[in-house]
Amino acid sequence: MHFLKQFFSAAALITNDTPYTIGDVSADIDVPDGLELPDLAGEKQDETQHLGDIKAGQTVKAEWGLRGEDPGDYTIGGRTGGSLKLGGAAVPVASDLEGDVTVEKPELDVDFTKPSSVTKGTPFTLGIDITNNSTIDLEDASIDLEASDLVNCYRPSSQNEEQDLGTIP
C-alpha cells in the first residue's frame, strides 16, 4: 500500500515595525532529520530565501514546503536577518525562528475478503477493506497487487496492477 507522505507549510512573517527600511532581508530554515525540504513542481527549494528590502510598517512572508519522512515531534528552527538603514549607516538586525510540528504514523486496519473456496477456471473476487484509524487523511492512496504475489491464480490483463484509492479519510 502506498500513500502520499505528510506535507507541511513552514512560514515566517517578518514585520518591520521601525520607521526605517530594513535592507537585504533573508530568512533561513533549519530542517531537522525526519523532515525534508523536497523539490516542489520540479524546483529545488533553498533553505535561504532572499526577501529584499522591507519598508517601515511592511510585512513579508517566507514560506517553505516540508515533507514528513519519519513519525515524531519536530522543532523547526531558523532565523531572519537584514540591515536597518539609518541614514548612511547599516545596523545588523536578526531574529530567531522556531515552530513545532508532529508527523503522525498512519494507523490502518486492513482486512482481506475472499471466497471460502474457488473453482479452477472460474473468476473470483478478492477484496481489501481499509480503515484509517489515524487523525489524518491518507492522500493519494493506492494498493498494488503484483502478479508475482499471486499463487496458482492470475489477474486478468484488463485489470491494472495498481488500484488508486484516492483519499482515505
Side-chain angles (χ1 to χ4, degrees), residues 90-114:
V91 177
V93 292
S95 179
D96 290 329
L97 305 170
E98 186 175 283
D100 297 322
V101 66
T102 298
V103 177
E104 294 194 38
K105 178 180 180 180
E107 295 180 26
L108 303 173
D109 285 332
V110 180
D111 294 313
F112 292 89
T113 56
K114 60 187 179 353

Side-chain angles (χ1 to χ4, degrees), residues 118-148:
V118 296
T119 305
K120 182 177 180 176
T122 303
F124 65 93
T125 301
L126 176 66
I128 301 173
D129 294 320
I130 301 168
T131 303
N132 181 5
N133 297 316
S134 308
T135 59
I136 57 169
D137 292 346
L138 300 180
E139 305 282 339
D140 197 26
S142 65
I143 194 158
D144 292 336
L145 185 59
E146 298 182 17
S148 62

Side-chain angles (χ1 to χ4, degrees), residues 6 11 23 33 38 54 57-58 62 66 83 91 123 125 131 142 151 159 163:
Q6 294 172 56
D33 290 341
I54 304 177
Q58 184 182 15
L66 299 174
S83 297
V91 177
T125 301
T131 303
S142 65
V151 177
Q159 289 183 346
Q163 298 290 318

